[in-house]
Amino acid sequence: MQPTRETTWRAGRFWWDWPRPIDAQAQPLKTLGAVIFDLDALADIESSGHRLAFNAAFAELGLDIEWTPTRYRQLQALRDERRRVAAELRKRGVSSECDVLAELLVDEICAAKAMILDETILDADITPRPGLVDLITEAFGAGIGIGVVSSGRHEWVEPLVRQLVGEGIVNTVVTASDVAATPGTNLYQAALADLGAPAQDSLAFAGSPANQRLATAAGLASVLVDDDDTHGAPLRVADCQRVHDKWLETSRPSAA
């Protein structure tokens, strides 16, 4: 198995566990321009944050619904949270496909959830995925630009990033509200612009297939972190460089 433009982090065997060349440590290290993390790649925000906020919203509205981690993972196959809520209501016989009252209930649930998330996210038991903070610290020490992107609200995303990583290490935090005024600019493009790094010299860690597609659209080599079982060898900048260089090699147009 070889690294490709879109690489996936899965349980058991990981992309940085692939065999290194015998002389890997002796080779001069070319420096990445930037490493950009989707917040959902940096930590399990969905299950440890959004899921619990939804459960609190269900309880607040008197609904006998509680999403387990397993059920929430199933629902994440749906593109957005409104569809997930609507699917759950239909499954429980609360609504039908064209139920206007159910649409209002979905609105009410999502609004309550958003308010609860804003109020509780910084106190939630959210921890970074193993190895990623060490990687970020090493990259920062090597002069590589560090960015974090998120579809969440900037008001809680930035302080949460500081909680997870520490002060003064992440160079830029870009959220959906930050790019709302510039149609056509995605989160990764905005982060690259802030960091002053070219896409072809940078690597993205995405927390979902949708965000990996955004990274690819921005011209970034990307790694998909899609499993919370992240045991493995320590992750190093050299591993990131190796995967990036392999992507660059395989994506370069062949000579005519």
Side-chain angles (χ1 to χ4, degrees):
M1 180 178 183
Q2 295 295 325
T4 62
R5 186 184 183 100
E6 297 178 348
T7 304
T8 303
W9 179 351
R10 299 186 185 280
R13 184 169 177 82
F14 311 104
W15 58 269
W16 65 87
D17 290 327
W18 294 336
R20 296 170 173 79
I22 294 175
D23 61 341
Q25 298 303 319
Q27 293 176 350
L29 177 64
K30 293 175 289 183
T31 304
L32 287 166
V35 181
I36 301 175
F37 294 84
D38 174 7
L39 183 58
D40 291 317
L42 185 57
D44 187 4
I45 306 298
E46 284 290 344
S47 187
S48 300
H50 293 271
R51 178 181 66 86
L52 299 183
F54 269 119
N55 285 343
F58 294 143
E60 184 177 286
L61 295 172
L63 297 168
D64 185 21
I65 300 173
E66 183 173 345
W67 282 341
T68 64
T70 299
R71 175 57 179 158
Y72 192 70
R73 286 192 197 97
Q74 293 171 344
L75 289 166
Q76 283 181 276
L78 299 174
R79 188 174 61 187
D80 58 59
E81 60 184 29
R82 286 184 54 80
R83 292 187 179 188
R84 296 165 194 167
V85 173
E88 186 68 34
L89 295 179
R90 288 195 299 272
K91 180 177 184 293
R92 293 171 178 264
V94 177
S95 69
S96 62
E97 188 74 40
C98 301
D99 191 331
V100 175
L101 290 178
E103 286 295 310
L104 295 176
L105 180 56
V106 169
D107 289 340
E108 191 174 4
I109 291 168
C110 290
K113 174 261 178 180
M115 185 176 298
I116 291 168
L117 186 72
D118 286 351
E119 294 172 351
T120 62
I121 188 72
L122 296 179
D123 296 319
D125 185 19
I126 297 175
T127 57
R129 298 183 194 272
L132 291 188
V133 172
D134 289 341
L135 169 64
I136 290 170
T137 302
E138 183 191 358
F140 177 78
I144 297 170
I146 307 296
V148 174
V149 300
S150 173
S151 59
R153 283 165 47 85
H154 199 106
E155 288 78 3
W156 62 258
V157 171
E158 188 162 9
L160 180 58
V161 170
R162 290 197 300 268
Q163 283 186 16
L164 293 170
V165 178
E167 296 278 354
I169 294 178
V170 173
N171 303 106
T172 188
V173 175
V174 179
T175 66
S177 58
D178 299 322
V179 300
T182 54
T185 300
N186 76 32
L187 296 170
Y188 293 96
Q189 289 170 330
L192 286 168
D194 284 353
L195 294 167
Q200 66 268 24
D201 294 340
S202 304
L203 179 69
F205 284 75
S208 69
N211 282 339
Q212 187 172 36
R213 287 191 290 272
L214 284 178
T216 300
L220 285 154
S222 61
V223 174
L224 176 62
V225 181
D226 73 341
D227 198 298
D228 56 8
D229 180 9
T230 54
H231 305 295
L235 185 58
R236 305 298 301 272
V237 168
D239 300 311
C240 295
Q241 185 71 61
R242 189 161 48 90
V243 169
H244 171 272
D245 290 348
K246 186 62 179 179
W247 166 79
L248 198 63
E249 179 184 311
T250 57
S251 63
R252 183 181 297 119
S254 58

